[in-house]
Amino acid sequence: VYGLLGLAGDADELGIRPDYTTSTTLAQVFTQTARAIIQKNWKIQRKRGLQILRYGSLGQRKSAPKNETDLPSWVPEWNGRIAKTYQREMSFLACGEIRMPDLVPTTSPTILGLRGFCVGTIVDLGEQARVDIWRRSADGAKKIVGFFDNFRRLLNL
């Protein structure tokens, strides 16, 4: 991240200053960078401000940075191959083109605060389909059947 700042034409606007002290973790650098990009893009073109969220893990993180588990789910892992979690162009426009969600201050840099509306409550969760892993396990068929049983149960809620 720090090496690319010299190439970025908007580095001053992002406000990221290299900090090579041993107390600065990789997760802190990634989080600070993601927050700076969101805030800068928010000021320029609000509807694009949250597009970086498409590159966060959102519960699908492959690996945490070495010796670190405190990387927020909304922050991309810039130490490896980055893949989009969501493919649609405007994934984060639940309120449509008319009104954009507002960024709000939070008590922690690891929390991304957005003002929005509560439209429902999650009452239960299923599990992620792991068919590629289940096929190789001795009880894989049982796990696959259990997944679809749970899926049917969720549909009936």
Side-chain angles (χ1 to χ4, degrees):
V1 170
Y2 293 156
L4 293 175
L5 281 176
L7 301 173
D10 59 353
D12 290 336
E13 296 171 40
L14 290 173
I16 301 169
R17 303 291 174 253
D19 179 1
Y20 293 102
T21 59
T22 57
S23 63
T24 302
T25 67
L26 188 59
Q28 288 171 325
V29 173
F30 286 178
T31 303
Q32 174 194 20
T33 303
R35 185 175 292 282
I37 291 170
I38 289 170
Q39 289 173 336
K40 177 191 174 277
N41 288 344
W42 201 262
K43 292 174 188 170
I44 295 171
Q45 190 178 17
R46 289 183 69 174
K47 72 179 183 177
R48 298 272 185 220
L50 297 178
Q51 292 305 305
I52 195 171
L53 296 180
R54 293 167 58 194
Y55 298 94
S57 70
L58 299 174
Q60 301 175 34
R61 187 156 325 277
K62 302 270 188 274
S63 63
K66 190 175 181 180
N67 298 324
E68 297 192 35
T69 57
D70 56 347
L71 191 62
S73 62
W74 55 272
V75 176
E77 283 183 274
W78 279 302
N79 61 339
R81 184 168 173 257
I82 297 177
K84 291 179 183 174
T85 305
Y86 295 100
Q87 298 297 324
R88 287 188 55 227
E89 179 60 26
M90 298 305 287
S91 302
F92 297 94
L93 282 179
C95 54
E97 296 281 343
I98 299 169
R99 178 175 161 76
M100 300 303 301
D102 296 320
L103 287 174
V104 295
T106 61
T107 58
S108 169
T110 62
I111 298 172
L112 180 64
L114 296 170
R115 185 178 326 277
F117 299 97
C118 180
V119 294
T121 303
I122 297 172
V123 294
D124 201 350
L125 297 172
E127 66 176 287
Q128 182 178 1
R130 312 287 301 207
V131 176
D132 56 327
I133 295 170
W134 293 341
R135 280 191 315 205
R136 295 183 293 242
S137 68
D139 61 344
K142 182 179 177 182
K143 289 182 178 181
I144 292 171
V145 170
F147 171 81
F148 283 107
D149 286 343
N150 191 41
F151 187 77
R152 186 179 305 112
R153 183 185 62 78
L154 290 172
L155 283 173
N156 289 327
L157 285 177

